[in-house]
């Protein structure tokens, strides 16, 4: 069976963020450099992390919404002599897991030896995802395509598209904005010790409730950030990673990359969840940490439910009593997620999963780089010895399971 | 009828012009596959169920049910900035329950919108050439 054969054959050689002395935490609102420069910085850091020369890269996968650079240009900028695999995925958060899966497939099939995965964007100072719509009628005042049925009612921007799902979810399952606040507080708590995170102050229910309304039912603090950032990952064979610098985190299984549900509350994990567990050869209870795509508060809540940790509408109770905290039975969004760390279209949540599995969560512990953690929750956000992590793209469109050897 | 309509207008295309044309006559129509009777919207060339291209335009009653709704406070599109908060809804059709259509509800306070609220189509002549579909409570 091919899925079983793929299991564990590829691994993460290195991860990197597009940092600079001006942006040590990688996420900013105004990078002051081109998207290509951000992508190259992240790639260099990932190769440094792996202990390989960037010129060893011979494959590349990225995803974008006309807001980035052609993938091969990153390898060209680094003087890589040969490109054996190049994939430019046209799309957004649905590819957050799948871009990694595709790179792993290229490596698994022997097409690429070291395949780069990256997402780079000046998402705040350049092309803003929050402005995305089906058409603006520029010049003519008329919109065609899908926009002739949406934009004409003033519908544009991700908060408005997702708020339909949230509203129906809340109404049918008696989920309230206070439940959203609880989820946001838990997630923010994990961000407080994340030096990369843009939002690190502890959050209160009152702050959540009094943050301005963007699109009802979403308050500002229900919405993910818009940031300038790049994230990169280098994939190669597990065999090679065993001889590189870092602990070996393998790819157990991955699939996607989009979904369509008749019921708008339903996510792709209803379909992907059972399949990916089978492909990875694990049970749900084996997953130690969950890094879902958290563009808006209800989305990760529904992903928890659709993966099977609890029933539809029960995530509001599941997340209580510290169950999803760093010391709970299922730590979720261990770095604060897209809402607090920043927005690299979901790829940053995957890098976080790798850091956690290596025991190298970037926090305030003095020696985190060497995997030495205090577990003092005033400074430490490393989960205790996690082995398996699940990461997924927007509304469960794609998913991937990482496993530390 | 306002002299100058300040919002965005539709740009009908080959597959949607009949849908928009019907609205001019205050008729709400949907494409229905003549082979398997499945409704589809927005209009498209092929039936997603049986792949046939054969279809007819079926006039429906205009009775709908509110499937979900939002209220926009911070619009992306500049034309709506003076109108906040405004509602946008998804409606399912009594005569074609698999269809969800985007619109807005007029004649009701936003705070009174609820899921499963019964609605009826209204036809709004916003310019000399354009009729837009809206909804009101029934
Ligand atoms: Zn048909």
């Amino acid at each position: 069976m091919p899925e079983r054969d793929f299991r564990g054959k590829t691994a993460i050689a290195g991860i990197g963020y597009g940092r600079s002395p001006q942006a040590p935490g990688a996420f900013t609102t105004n990078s002051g450099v081109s998207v290509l420069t951000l992508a190259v910085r992240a790639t260099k850091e990932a190769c440094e992390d792996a202990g390989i020369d960037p010129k060893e890269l011979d494959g590349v996968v990225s995803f974008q919404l006309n807001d980035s650079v052609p993938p091969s240009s990153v390898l060209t900028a680094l003087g890589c002599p040969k490109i054996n695999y190049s994939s430019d995925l046209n799309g957004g958060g649905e590819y957050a897991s799948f871009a990694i899966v595709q790179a792993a497939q290229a490596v698994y099939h022997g097409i690429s030896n070291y395949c780069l995965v990256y997402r780079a964007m000046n998402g705040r100072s350049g092309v803003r995802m929050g402005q995305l719509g089906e058409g603006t009628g520029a010049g003519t005042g008329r919109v065609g395509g899908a926009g002739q049925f949406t934009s004409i009612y003033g519908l544009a921007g991700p908060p408005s598209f997702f708020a339909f799902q949230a509203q129906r979810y809340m109404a049918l399952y008696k989920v309230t904005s206070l439940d959203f606040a609880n989820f946001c507080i838990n997630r923010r708590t994990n961000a407080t010790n994340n030096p990369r995170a843009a939002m690190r102050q502890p959050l209160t229910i009152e702050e959540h409730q009094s943050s301005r309304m963007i699109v009802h039912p979403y308050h500002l603090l229900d919405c993910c950030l818009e940031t300038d950032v790049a994230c990169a990952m280098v994939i190669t064979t597990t065999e090679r990673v065993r001889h590189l610098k870092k602990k070996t985190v393998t790819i157990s299984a991955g699939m996607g990359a989009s979904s369509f549900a008749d019921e708008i509350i339903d996510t792709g994990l209803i379909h992907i969840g059972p399949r990916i567990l089978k492909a990875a050869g694990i049970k749900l209870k084996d997953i130690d940490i969950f890094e879902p795509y958290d563009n808006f508060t209800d989305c990760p809540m529904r992903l928890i439910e659709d993966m099977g940790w609890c029933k539809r509408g029960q995530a509001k109770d599941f997340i209580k009593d510290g169950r999803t905290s760093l010391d709970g039975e299922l730590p979720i969004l261990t770095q604060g997620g897209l809402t607090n760390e920043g927005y690299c279209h979901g790829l940053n949540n995957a890098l976080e999963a790798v850091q956690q599995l290596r025991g190298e969560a970037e926090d305030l512990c003095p020696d985190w780089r060497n995997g030495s953690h205090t577990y003092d929750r005033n400074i430490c956000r490393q989960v205790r010895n996690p082995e398996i992590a699940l990461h997924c793209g927007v509304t469960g469109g794609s998913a991937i399971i990482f496993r530390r050897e | 009828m306002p002299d100058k309509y300040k919002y965005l207008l539709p740009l009908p295309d080959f597959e949607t012009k009949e849908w928009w044309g019907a609205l001019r006559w205050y008729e709400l129509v949907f494409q229905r596959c003549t082979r398997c009777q499945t409704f589809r919207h927005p209009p498209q060339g092929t039936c997603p169920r049986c792949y046939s291209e054969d279809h007819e335009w079926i006039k429906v009653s205009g009775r709908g049910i509110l499937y979900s709704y939002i209220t926009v406070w911070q619009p992306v599109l500049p034309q709506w900035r003076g109108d906040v908060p405004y509602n946008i809804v998804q409606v399912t059709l009594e005569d074609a329950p698999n269809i969800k259509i985007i619109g807005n509800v007029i004649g009701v306070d936003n705070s009174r919108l609820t899921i499963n609220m019964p609605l009826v189509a209204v036809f709004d002549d916003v310019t000399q050439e354009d009729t837009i579909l809206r909804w009101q409570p029934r």
Side-chain angles (χ1 to χ4, degrees):
Chain A
M1 180 185 168
E3 281 175 346
R4 189 177 304 162
D5 192 55
F6 175 80
R7 188 190 302 164
K9 293 292 199 314
T10 58
I12 317 304
I15 59 172
Y17 299 85
R19 303 182 209 250
S20 67
Q22 294 74 38
F27 296 84
T28 70
T29 54
N30 188 0
S31 72
V33 295
S34 68
V35 173
L36 179 60
T37 296
L38 283 179
V40 168
R41 283 176 182 167
T43 304
K44 279 165 60 186
E45 186 173 303
C47 291
E48 168 76 14
D49 185 58
I52 64 165
D53 188 319
K55 290 192 172 46
E56 300 221 43
L57 297 172
D58 64 345
V60 57
V61 178
S62 189
F63 59 104
Q64 59 158 320
L65 286 160
N66 301 320
D67 60 355
S68 195
V69 290
S72 57
S73 68
V74 177
L75 299 194
T76 305
L78 287 162
C80 299
K82 54 184 188 294
I83 302 175
N84 293 322
Y85 192 88
S86 177
S87 175
D88 189 0
L89 299 165
N90 184 285
E94 67 270 27
Y95 290 127
S97 304
F98 181 76
I100 307 166
V101 176
Q102 200 186 40
Q105 287 168 341
V107 168
Y108 171 73
H109 289 291
I111 304 167
S112 168
N113 287 328
Y114 288 96
C115 193
L116 169 69
V117 184
Y118 76 88
R119 175 72 171 111
M121 56 206 290
N122 277 327
R124 183 62 180 80
S125 70
V127 183
R128 293 180 65 174
M129 200 58 54
Q131 314 285 322
L132 197 72
E134 299 287 358
T136 59
T140 66
R142 287 189 181 267
V143 278
Q148 67 189 289
F149 298 103
T150 58
S151 302
I152 62 158
Y153 298 107
L155 178 59
S160 52
F161 287 104
F162 281 90
F164 285 110
Q165 300 174 18
Q167 191 78 259
R168 188 168 164 83
Y169 173 61
M170 294 168 88
L172 296 191
Y173 296 94
K174 300 189 166 46
V175 178
T176 68
S177 185
L178 288 175
D179 296 320
F180 282 13
N182 285 333
F183 189 94
C184 291
I185 288 167
N186 288 356
R187 181 173 46 187
R188 178 70 67 82
T189 303
N190 296 345
T192 54
N193 294 327
N194 176 7
R196 296 187 304 261
M199 309 286 273
R200 290 179 57 188
Q201 292 301 314
L203 180 67
T204 64
I205 288 182
E206 293 70 31
E207 278 174 80
H208 175 275
Q209 292 293 291
S210 62
S211 67
R212 74 174 185 274
M213 200 57 85
I214 302 298
V215 175
H216 186 79
Y218 294 143
H219 287 268
L220 176 68
L221 294 181
D222 289 311
C223 304
C224 67
L225 301 171
E226 291 176 294
T227 43
D228 294 1
V229 67
C231 285
M233 220 183 235
V234 176
I235 311 297
T236 189
T237 61
T238 299
E239 199 49 45
R240 283 197 203 95
V241 173
R242 288 186 185 127
H243 296 99
L244 294 174
K245 275 165 68 179
K246 292 298 173 74
K247 276 185 193 152
T248 306
V249 173
T250 66
I251 293 163
S252 293
M255 53 194 65
S258 89
S259 62
F260 173 78
D262 220 28
E263 166 56 63
I264 62 171
I265 298 172
D266 291 348
T267 75
L269 288 190
I270 291 175
H271 165 65
I272 287 181
R275 279 198 61 207
I276 197 168
L277 291 175
K278 187 156 176 271
I282 62 168
K283 298 269 186 284
L284 185 65
K285 64 174 170 48
D286 297 328
I287 295 173
D288 297 310
I289 51 178
F290 183 33
E291 310 287 7
Y293 196 97
D294 60 316
N295 44 345
F296 303 101
T297 309
D298 59 303
C299 300
M301 293 174 77
R302 290 184 285 123
L303 291 166
I304 292 167
E305 294 163 2
D306 287 349
M307 196 61 203
W309 277 295
C310 59
K311 291 200 163 57
R312 170 69 75 229
Q314 294 181 351
K316 62 181 180 182
D317 297 318
F318 181 81
I319 62 160
K320 286 178 182 163
D321 307 318
R323 190 177 284 116
T324 58
S325 71
L326 297 171
D327 291 311
E329 60 191 75
L330 182 70
I332 290 177
L333 295 166
T334 49
Q335 98 288 32
L338 310 179
T339 314
N340 296 306
E341 179 173 76
Y343 186 75
C344 194
H345 235 145
L347 194 56
N348 48 319
N349 287 4
L351 267 66
E352 167 65 14
V354 174
Q355 276 202 343
Q356 286 284 347
L357 296 184
R358 286 172 168 181
E360 294 178 3
E362 181 175 356
D363 59 16
L364 307 183
C365 293
D367 209 17
W368 68 267
R369 276 176 202 281
N370 298 316
S372 176
H373 282 276
T374 62
Y375 303 102
D376 168 2
R377 295 305 176 208
N378 293 311
I379 57 170
C380 182
R381 58 177 197 83
Q382 174 66 51
V383 173
R384 288 169 202 268
N385 202 29
E387 183 190 337
I388 298 177
L390 172 67
H391 168 261
C392 72
V394 68
T395 53
S398 64
I400 189 165
I401 290 175
F402 300 108
R403 182 169 197 159
R404 173 179 45 77
E405 277 198 334
Chain B
M1 192 183 301
D3 295 336
K4 187 114 175 71
Y5 185 69
K6 68 168 181 166
Y7 306 99
L8 292 175
L9 288 164
L11 184 63
D13 54 48
F14 190 75
E15 257 127 21
T16 67
K17 62 180 194 291
E18 293 199 63
W19 193 88
W20 288 110
L23 287 193
R24 294 294 294 148
W25 298 96
Y26 291 3
E27 287 185 351
L28 180 57
V29 300
F30 288 103
Q31 263 181 326
R32 191 176 69 183
C33 175
T34 42
R35 190 158 137 203
C36 79
Q37 315 296 311
T38 302
F39 280 101
R40 55 187 195 253
H41 183 80
Q44 66 172 47
T46 309
C47 171
R49 184 155 178 262
C50 78
Y51 325 128
S52 169
E53 289 191 8
D54 299 332
H55 65 272
E56 56 196 330
W57 292 92
I58 301 294
K59 185 186 171 190
V60 299
S61 69
R63 292 161 67 87
I65 300 286
L66 196 154
Y67 181 81
S68 194
Y69 64 97
I70 64 173
T71 321
V72 180
W73 290 74
Q74 186 174 304
V76 167
L77 296 166
Q79 294 89 340
W80 276 265
R81 282 198 187 130
D83 297 331
V84 296
Y86 62 92
N87 74 66
I88 311 175
V89 299
Q90 275 184 3
V91 180
T92 52
L93 280 298
E94 252 184 30
D95 306 334
N98 68 313
I99 285 179
K100 295 185 194 77
I101 186 165
I102 300 282
N104 63 348
V105 180
I106 56 173
V108 64
D109 193 89
N110 289 336
S111 65
R112 290 194 45 235
L113 294 174
T114 53
I115 304 232
N116 294 332
M117 180 177 194
L119 300 171
V120 64
V122 288
F123 303 90
D124 187 1
D125 295 325
V126 294
T127 72
Q128 299 283 355
E129 298 91 36
D130 297 276
T131 304
I132 301 285
L133 177 67
R134 304 194 195 281
W135 299 88
Q136 64 185 27
R138 65 175 156 92

